[in-house]
Amino acid sequence: MTDASRRVLIMIAAVAVFLVLAAAIAIALIDVNHYKPQIEQAVKTHTGRTLRLKGDLGLSIVPALGITLPASSLSVRGSEAEFVSFASARVTIALLPLLRQAIVVESIDVVQARATLVRHRDGSIRVDDAPDQPAAATAPEAPAHPAEGTAAGGESANWEVGRLLLSDATITLRDETGGQTMTLSVIKLETGRLAPRSSLPLSLAGHLESTSHKLAGEIELTTKVDLDLAASAVAATDLKLSFAGTREQQPLRTSITAGRLSRQGEAISAAQISVRADGKRATDDWTMAASSTGFTFDKEVMSSAAIEASASLAGAQAGAPSVDGHLTLDGVNGSAASMRAEQLVLTARRRDGTGKLQARLAGPLRASIDDWTLAMQRFDGQITIEDPLLPEGKAQLALAGAMQIDARQERIDLRLASSATDARLKGTIQIKGFGKPEIGFEVDAERLDVDRFLPRTRPVAGKAPQVAGGIAGQAGTAATTGAATRAAPTDSVPARASAPASALADPGVDWSPWRDLRLDGRLQIGQLQARGIKARAVRARVRSASGRSTIGPASAQLYGGTASGGLTLDAQDKRMALNLTLTNVELGALARDAWNRNDLSGRGNIELALTTGGRSRTEMTRNATGTAAFALRDYALVGIDLSAVLGQVKGALTGGGTQSGKIDRSKRTVLSRLTGTITLADGVARNDDLEGAAAQLGLLGRGQFDLLSNNLDYTLRVTVTANPVQNSKLLTALVGITVPVHVSGRSDDLRYSISLTDVAADAIARRGFGVGATVIEEAEGFLGRILGRGRKK
């Protein structure tokens, strides 16, 4: 290097040092706070906003030009209401680029920025409106000035920001449409180099809270952003957005990933985007996921090769039911005002042990993003059920229909129809309100076989369910079938037995599904089969509101007679009431279809009025009150053959006046008539007025059945009646004799006993007959002849 060169470099360095010193001296001598009023007035004049600088400005030059702002705030346009504020800010500007008319902001650091945005009832978000009041109509009009990012001549301005950093910032969004508030606080935002055209990394973290669904948790965002302000284009690649927190106080995790998401002008496109949400409820874990490939959207045109979404719900415990669903949209095109999809396919599956349920719906779709509407003018669907307990192990139901959804009005209209052999029906469903839906429906079915689609465990042939088994079972089911009247009472009822200590854990009763249910609909079914019971001309009204649900008035024709009644559930008070009237119903056919029993017969009337309530089955059993009245004819009393029991008079007289045996379901007594009333109270079904008749037999009875301990204590009083054709001395001795038959024990181990010592023997003695062997054998033979079942022992 020559001496001349050295001298030039020394001169340049000296000039630079001089300029720096001069600038430092100027900064030291100039009081920048002197210009605060002018700065605030300039902002007011050019923007219509009020700037408040609440402290001293700071200015430095080494190592770069730095401007420090104190705690400040900026108002809404045309109002004094605060729009944004910050505790402090510092802007650092490179000096040398200023010489070539380039603005290079090395960094912008803002501490504790605060801003409030308002989403108005029309769905728009405008930052120029005050949070608590609309913008003043007299707001001063801002003078024309170059658009952001352009120079006065219309060319792109030459500027850049090396780094933007927000720390401890807060943004609040208030939604006027739903009265909800969302707040993102403790924000830390950091970007790389910003310029009219640049590519920069961006990261954001903060705490999100929303009054909607009580949402709270941490949010994180990382991505790479490509900017081109001249073309109004922005793109994000490798975008990852996640949330971890709670929703309705239940854990929730969500994530959104996008390979590339871009916006140019009014158009938005995504090469690939996926959404996932994982949550936990008290009884379930659930997951939702969605993805889209080749998606573009602008004000005029929308298209996508395919959009997919999925969701799953699994029980928190092993073996609990699980549900998952999948949505596919193909051939999406159109505009925000009118979007079309060539095909929508929605599938849902539910697994519960060995049972599986799958539903599928497919058809073309029309939608409007502007109007928040969706319509399927036609669709085809199918429901498939697989379960070993189904009649054929599998059942399918094909459906067709149409659907319209108006999200803004929160309304869904659905039409369904099926031409299946076991479910020929049509119906409409209307849903209003998504938060607390109000559901209306009309169903008109020519034929509906519910058993074809619902798994059930049928009793083994010849064995009735425990509640309907034998005499005790008949008493135990009085509240639901009226057959309880077949049991027989005692003269002196002993103290009620307590429930066994080995009783199973008492299952609770969940009233919550009925608490918020709002339902109003009608059912009309020509032929119905449900749980084995067959009915015709079924009519029912279903209503539910304010925690009170009613099914009724309901009516049907079944088994040669009619049924009518209603059911009321009060979820607030945890109470229910049932009224049921069966008129001229063939009970044998009903028992055969409902319980697979072939040992019953008879026809008659039953009237049931029952109320109960509680939080468990035990409470509901103990709290049950009501009556069941019955009047039956040609009725079979199962479990005991009264003719055979009376034929045991020989054994009773020679065996000390008593005889006992076990109830045998293969035996029965056919009664020409049977009437009585059962009352329910404190978990006990009691009957005191049983009256019946068979051939040359009269029958009275009284007693009780303990529903909690499953114990029966009942006495039948059987009387031999006169036969006008017969006039033997033996008949004269037996007419009017009453034989007590005491039945007791648990319903699965019933026994009977008879005692003739104090009744039959005394009655015969009073009529002048001894009790010797000859009389006994003659009596036995006579009883066998008139009752048709006695045999000589």
Side-chain angles (χ1 to χ4, degrees), residues 44 47-50 52 73-84 116 118 126-136 139-140:
K44 183 76 170 180
T47 68
R49 304 173 185 268
T50 300
R52 294 184 178 88
S73 65
L74 187 66
S75 75
V76 172
R77 183 190 300 273
S79 172
E80 294 299 313
E82 183 180 290
F83 165 61
V84 67
T116 299
V118 179
R126 295 194 293 269
V127 300
D128 289 341
D129 287 348
D132 297 313
Q133 61 187 32

Side-chain angles (χ1 to χ4, degrees), residues 552-576:
S555 63
Q557 299 176 12
L558 70 168
Y559 303 103
T562 61
S564 62
L567 172 68
T568 299
L569 299 172
D570 191 331
Q572 301 298 334
D573 296 333
K574 297 179 175 59
R575 300 285 300 173
M576 66 162 284

Side-chain angles (χ1 to χ4, degrees), residues 192 368 413 533 547 675 751:
S368 172
D413 292 282
I533 300 175
T675 62
R751 302 187 67 83

Side-chain angles (χ1 to χ4, degrees), residues 38 210 229 297 299 535 546 583 614 687:
Q38 289 89 328
S210 174
L229 297 182
F297 165 70
K299 190 174 182 180
S546 303
T583 303
N687 168 246

Side-chain angles (χ1 to χ4, degrees), residues 85-124:
S85 66
F86 53 82
S88 65
R90 179 173 176 79
V91 181
T92 303
I93 302 173
L95 289 173
L96 293 180
L98 292 174
L99 299 177
R100 60 176 186 272
Q101 296 183 340
I103 302 174
V104 179
V105 179
E106 292 185 346
S107 65
I108 299 177
D109 298 322
V110 181
V111 178
Q112 293 183 359
R114 303 288 186 266
T116 299
L117 306 178
V118 179
R119 182 176 183 267
H120 296 274
R121 298 186 183 277
D122 61 1
S124 64

Side-chain angles (χ1 to χ4, degrees), residues 147-171:
E148 181 181 2
T150 61
E155 298 180 356
S156 178
N158 190 10
W159 61 269
E160 66 178 80
V161 176
R163 185 192 72 162
L164 171 64
L165 177 63
L166 296 180
S167 58
D168 195 16
T170 300
I171 299 176

